[in-house]
Amino acid sequence: MTEKTLILEMGMGADVHGHDMTKAALRAVSDAIRHSSLTLFKAYKHPADMRVEVTIAVPFPDQVDRQAVADALPYGRIEVTVIEGGLHDRGMGGQEDITLAVAGVKAFLDTEGHGFRPA
């Protein structure tokens, strides 16, 4: 197998009322994947065969529903890792209600047997 990283996108998502780590994470993933069109994967291999690594950084990693994040991606074998990061800050009225998540989404393709060769 000659797997190559072909796409890396980053995104940010917020939940401004409710401390919902999963909601912020889903918005970060949505932000990241809206920057990409994965036509490359359809051209060289069925998109369901690609591997996608998602890394989410939020203040409280144990509160993220990893399966919900994986289900938000349209194609591939999805691997979700959640780490501590992001932002948890006071919002309107002094309540701690702003949560920011950061997402990194990497897509991999097995290039073996294709005329396509990354440099």
Side-chain angles (χ1 to χ4, degrees):
M1 180 186 291
T2 310
E3 190 177 73
K4 300 288 184 187
T5 307
L6 298 180
I7 301 220
L8 168 61
E9 291 291 349
M10 293 164 280
M12 185 183 73
D15 178 26
V16 294
H17 300 291
H19 312 283
D20 191 322
M21 300 298 130
T22 300
K23 185 185 289 185
L26 289 169
R27 289 176 175 170
V29 168
S30 176
D31 182 47
I33 66 173
R34 283 182 298 177
H35 300 290
S36 294
S37 176
L38 302 179
T39 58
L40 174 73
F41 292 96
K42 278 196 177 233
Y44 292 98
K45 199 163 201 96
H46 190 274
D49 293 334
M50 74 176 164
R51 185 170 64 86
V52 180
E53 288 181 0
V54 179
T55 303
I56 302 288
V58 291
F60 305 107
D62 59 321
Q63 294 179 18
V64 173
D65 180 343
R66 287 166 175 75
Q67 188 60 53
V69 172
D71 291 345
L73 291 150
Y75 302 114
R77 297 180 322 273
I78 314 300
E79 302 165 10
V80 178
T81 302
V82 184
I83 62 172
E84 188 173 346
L87 175 72
H88 196 61
D89 202 358
R90 295 185 188 278
M92 299 183 325
Q95 292 182 313
E96 292 184 2
D97 63 355
I98 297 173
T99 298
L100 293 178
V102 178
V105 180
K106 288 191 250 180
F108 299 83
L109 175 67
D110 178 4
T111 60
E112 190 171 325
H114 294 291
F116 173 75
R117 293 285 182 257

